Amino acid sequence: MGWIMVLVFVLVLVAMLVGVLVQRNRCLRLEQALEEGRRREAAAAEREVIYGRLLPGKLLQLFQQGEPEKLRIGEEKSVRAAVLAYNIPGFERIVRQQSAEEIFDFVNKNLGLVVPCILYQEGEIDEYVDAGLSAFFLNAPERALRSAVSVCEALSQSGSREIYSIGLTYGDVMVGMVGHEKRFGTLTISETTGLADFLQELAVRYRARILITGSLKQQIPDFDKSYNSRYLGDIFLKSSRLTEELYDVYDGDEPVDKNGKRKTRLIFQEGVELFQHKKFQDARLHFIEVLKVNRMDGAAKEYLYLCNRYIANKDSGEDKPTYLDVY
C-alpha cells in the first residue's frame, strides 16, 4: 500500500507541475499578445505622427479617411475655407546673397516662428513656398485673421527686420490628391487660393502687412470692433467679372505705421469714396493730406498716382475704372 500512496503523490505532484507550466505558458502568450498590441499601437501612433507632418490632419477628415495609406489619386472635395498666404517678397535677394546653408537656416528660423501661430489657431499648412507658406482654415474663418496678427507679433518680438506680407481670402476651395501612385500629394485649386497669393504680393506695394477680402470680413462677427482696419477700395476679378472689397488690417503693423493709418483713416476712406465717384480732383487733395501725415502710406501714393493720371487725361472720367487693382 505504501508504494501506491507514493505513486498517487507523485502523480498529483506531476499534475500540479503540468498545471503550473500550462498556466505559465498562457500568461506568456497573453503577455506576448499584449506586447504585440502595444507595439502595433505605438507603430500606428508613430505612423500617424509622420503622416501628420506630411499631410494636413483636416485633409484626412475631409476625405473621411482614418488611415492615410488609403488615400488615392483622383479623390477631391470642394470646401468653404479661409486661405492664408504668407511670404517674404525679398527672398530672391536673400538667395543671391547667402550660401545654401545660410538660406536653409534663415527659412527654418522664420517658419519656426510662423508655423506655431497657424497651428495654434487650428490652421492646416497646405504647402511651403520659398520662405513662406499657404494654409487653410476650414471651420472658423476668424482664426485665419487671428493667426495672421499673431504671426506679425511673433516676428516683431523676434526682432526680424525682413519685409513680409500676408493675404487672406475666403471662399470655395477644391482640394484633391494628385501625382502618381508611387508619389502623390495634395493640391488646392481655386480663385480663392490664387487671390490670397495675389494679396500677399500686393500688400508690399501698399505698405501693409495684412490684406483681407470683404468676403472674409463678412465672416467675422464684430469685425469693426475687434480689429483696426481701413477700407482700401475694390479689386477687379477678371475670371468672374466681379469686384471684391479690400481691407488693410493694421493690428500687426509697426507702431509708426499703425499710428499713421489710425490718424488718417477717415480722410483716407473719404478719398477712396470720392475716387469711386470719379471726383478725382477732390480725391487727390484727400490723399495729399494723408501723405502729409503719413508719407510712407503706399495705398495713398497709389491713389494719388491714379488721380493724377486721370486728371491729366482731361475727360469726364465716365469710362475710368474705379477699382484699385486687377486680379
Side-chain angles (χ1 to χ4, degrees):
M1 292 295 293
W3 64 269
I4 295 176
M5 293 180 63
V6 171
L7 180 61
V8 171
F9 176 76
V10 171
L11 291 174
V12 171
L13 183 60
V14 170
M16 291 176 62
L17 290 173
V18 170
V20 170
L21 291 173
V22 170
Q23 185 64 30
R24 182 183 177 184
N25 288 336
R26 288 177 179 173
C27 290
L28 287 174
R29 287 195 297 270
L30 179 60
E31 289 180 3
Q32 290 173 353
L34 291 174
E35 181 62 27
E36 181 64 22
R38 285 193 290 267
R39 282 199 297 267
R40 290 178 179 177
E41 290 179 0
E46 184 178 358
R47 186 170 65 251
E48 184 176 348
V49 170
I50 293 173
Y51 276 119
R53 291 173 179 171
L54 299 176
L55 291 174
K58 295 286 192 309
L59 180 66
L60 301 181
Q61 299 176 17
L62 186 63
F63 290 111
Q64 298 180 341
Q65 293 283 2
E67 301 178 22
E69 57 267 26
K70 291 184 178 180
L71 289 171
R72 293 293 179 266
I73 296 173
E75 295 190 55
E76 57 185 40
K77 292 285 184 179
S78 179
V79 296
R80 299 281 287 178
V83 179
L84 179 151
Y86 160 86
N87 217 326
I88 296 177
F91 185 67
E92 292 182 359
R93 170 184 52 80
I94 296 173
V95 169
R96 290 193 298 268
Q97 295 176 348
Q98 298 184 358
S99 67
E101 292 79 7
E102 290 172 330
I103 293 169
F104 277 110
D105 182 63
F106 168 78
V107 170
N108 287 325
K109 285 183 178 179
N110 179 64
L111 293 177
L113 296 169
V114 175
V115 171
C117 298
I118 293 172
L119 298 182
Y120 181 77
Q121 293 296 339
E122 300 181 4
E124 293 290 347
I125 307 299
D126 181 26
E127 64 175 342
Y128 292 102
V129 182
D130 295 334
L133 54 81
S134 64
F136 55 87
F137 299 74
L138 291 177
N139 299 320
E142 185 174 3
R143 288 184 175 275
L145 183 52
R146 292 177 187 169
S147 177
V149 175
S150 296
V151 166
C152 295
E153 293 172 346
L155 291 173
S156 293
Q157 291 172 6
S158 73
S160 173
R161 296 183 178 181
E162 295 297 332
I163 297 175
Y164 60 88
S165 54
I166 301 172
L168 293 172
T169 58
Y170 179 80
D172 294 324
V173 178
M174 180 66 74
V175 183
M177 307 301 299
V178 297
H180 186 272
E181 61 180 8
K182 293 184 178 180
R183 180 67 173 87
F184 62 90
T186 62
L187 178 66
T188 57
I189 301 176
S190 77
E191 186 176 65
T192 304
T193 55
L195 183 56
D197 292 332
F198 177 72
L199 295 190
Q200 178 269 313
E201 296 173 357
L202 196 64
V204 179
R205 188 196 308 174
Y206 300 149
R207 198 176 174 85
R209 283 188 169 172
I210 303 173
L211 290 186
I212 75 170
T213 59
S215 298
L216 178 63
K217 173 181 178 290
Q218 293 173 4
Q219 300 297 317
I220 301 176
D222 299 322
F223 173 85
D224 292 324
K225 294 180 180 179
S226 303
Y227 299 94
N228 292 297
S229 70
R230 60 178 186 168
Y231 170 56
L232 290 188
D234 296 341
I235 54 176
F236 181 71
L237 309 180
K238 291 187 289 186
S239 60
S240 61
R241 310 296 297 178
L242 299 174
T243 58
E244 176 73 84
E245 292 182 344
L246 186 61
Y247 291 86
D248 173 6
V249 179
Y250 49 87
D251 289 284
D253 283 18
E254 290 297 327
V256 61
D257 292 319
K258 184 184 298 184
N259 291 335
K261 292 176 182 180
R262 188 186 69 251
K263 291 178 181 178
T264 60
R265 179 176 180 271
L266 292 180
I267 191 170
F268 176 87
Q269 294 191 155
E270 288 174 359
V272 172
E273 184 176 354
L274 288 167
F275 180 86
Q276 291 178 334
H277 285 85
K278 301 186 178 181
K279 298 180 179 179
F280 302 123
Q281 189 65 258
D282 293 335
R284 177 180 181 277
L285 296 176
H286 278 67
F287 295 124
I288 288 175
E289 291 301 316
V290 170
L291 290 170
K292 286 180 179 178
V293 178
N294 183 14
R295 64 184 181 86
M296 300 302 294
D297 193 319
K301 290 180 180 179
E302 181 69 14
Y303 270 118
L304 183 59
Y305 164 76
L306 292 174
C307 288
N308 288 337
R309 190 179 72 180
Y310 292 166
I311 292 170
N313 289 335
K314 297 180 180 180
D315 56 29
S316 64
E318 292 181 359
D319 61 338
K320 300 300 180 185
T322 57
Y323 38 79
L324 182 58
D325 220 304
V326 178
Y327 169 67

